[in-house]
Amino acid sequence: MPDPNPAAMEFLLNRRSRPAKTLTTPVPDRAALMPILTAAARSPDHGKLEPWRFMVLERNALLRLAALIDECGDRLGKPPEDIAKARAQYADAHLAVAVIEVQIPSGKIPLLEQTYSAGAVCLALLNAALASGWGANWLSGWVSHDRGFVEAGFGLADNERIAGLIHIGTETSAPPERPRPDLDAITTWVTE
């Protein structure tokens, strides 16, 4: 059995995402980002398929993506306020890591388990950024699920999709605590 790690448990019990709109510069440089990505890549991966990859989006890339959102929103019939909110997610950001799910045909590992692994990578990346002292937030949004947008903006292949965008930066204000799940309401103890 591994040794207890009270500091890690304390972190997990108190971790809190930082709203992306409150993040600013400085952002981690490549050297500071590598241990965060390394920690995320240690996520559960049944079959060792690595059904995900990272795309680090720096400021100019985020601005390029923001410029594609109006056309996408118009094509999908989104209201102007939804388009503006989606555009701001990219235009106001200074660094985000896109976790790209890569579905790999396998007779052994169902695609759904590969999706779960990509989600685990998103959470591990978020927590590694927070544990490293950065503010971080996991977002997606309607635009990140549109095939036209992800193919034109990210160059994704047919077997790829965005699992999440992890925004990382310096927080400008700590968010208030929010209500947490009622464990009694969501937990069933099975004894037989």
Side-chain angles (χ1 to χ4, degrees), residues 147-167:
R147 287 309 305 172
F149 177 76
V150 300
E151 288 173 4
F154 291 81
L156 298 192
D158 289 342
N159 68 325
E160 296 180 318
R161 62 184 171 183
I162 295 175
L165 296 158
I166 312 305
H167 291 257

Side-chain angles (χ1 to χ4, degrees), residues 16-19 173-180:
R16 178 76 170 91
S17 295
R18 298 335 199 228
S173 62
E177 187 52 59
R178 65 177 182 82
R180 297 298 175 173

Side-chain angles (χ1 to χ4, degrees), residues 49-62:
L49 295 177
E50 296 174 18
W52 29 259
R53 62 186 179 93
F54 302 118
M55 188 177 293
V56 179
L57 305 170
E58 295 178 325
R59 180 75 177 141
N60 288 337
L62 290 160

Side-chain angles (χ1 to χ4, degrees), residues 35-46 49-55 97-102 113-129 136-138 161-166 168:
I36 295 169
L37 296 174
T38 300
R42 292 182 60 92
S43 292
D45 173 16
H46 187 192
L49 295 177
E50 296 174 18
W52 29 259
R53 62 186 179 93
F54 302 118
M55 188 177 293
V97 178
V99 176
I100 309 299
E101 177 183 355
V102 183
E113 288 190 22
Q114 297 178 41
T115 297
Y116 294 158
S117 182
V121 168
C122 289
L123 180 59
L125 179 56
L126 175 68
N127 282 337
N137 195 240
W138 175 1
R161 62 184 171 183
I162 295 175
L165 296 158
I166 312 305
I168 305 172

Side-chain angles (χ1 to χ4, degrees), residues 6-153:
M9 192 63 178
E10 182 69 17
F11 166 79
L12 292 171
L13 289 171
N14 292 290
R15 62 154 302 282
R16 178 76 170 91
S17 295
R18 298 335 199 228
K21 62 186 174 186
T22 69
L23 302 178
T24 189
T25 56
V27 297
D29 61 17
R30 291 181 184 202
L33 201 52
M34 288 307 291
I36 295 169
L37 296 174
T38 300
R42 292 182 60 92
S43 292
D45 173 16
H46 187 192
K48 299 180 184 77
L49 295 177
E50 296 174 18
W52 29 259
R53 62 186 179 93
F54 302 118
M55 188 177 293
V56 179
L57 305 170
E58 295 178 325
R59 180 75 177 141
N60 288 337
L62 290 160
L63 292 173
R64 177 184 57 79
L65 290 164
L68 301 175
I69 291 175
D70 285 358
E71 181 279 324
C72 180
D74 289 342
R75 179 172 41 80
L76 296 174
K78 295 290 183 181
E81 59 273 13
D82 289 359
I83 294 171
K85 182 178 179 182
R87 186 183 333 103
Q89 179 184 333
Y90 290 84
D92 296 346
H94 299 280
L95 179 79
V97 178
V99 176
I100 309 299
E101 177 183 355
V102 183
Q103 294 195 330
I104 299 169
S106 168
K108 182 179 176 188
I109 312 303
L111 295 178
L112 184 59
E113 288 190 22
Q114 297 178 41
T115 297
Y116 294 158
S117 182
V121 168
C122 289
L123 180 59
L125 179 56
L126 175 68
N127 282 337
L130 292 169
S132 297
W134 297 101
N137 195 240
W138 175 1
L139 298 175
S140 57
W142 59 267
V143 72
S144 69
H145 303 299
D146 178 71
R147 287 309 305 172
F149 177 76
V150 300
E151 288 173 4

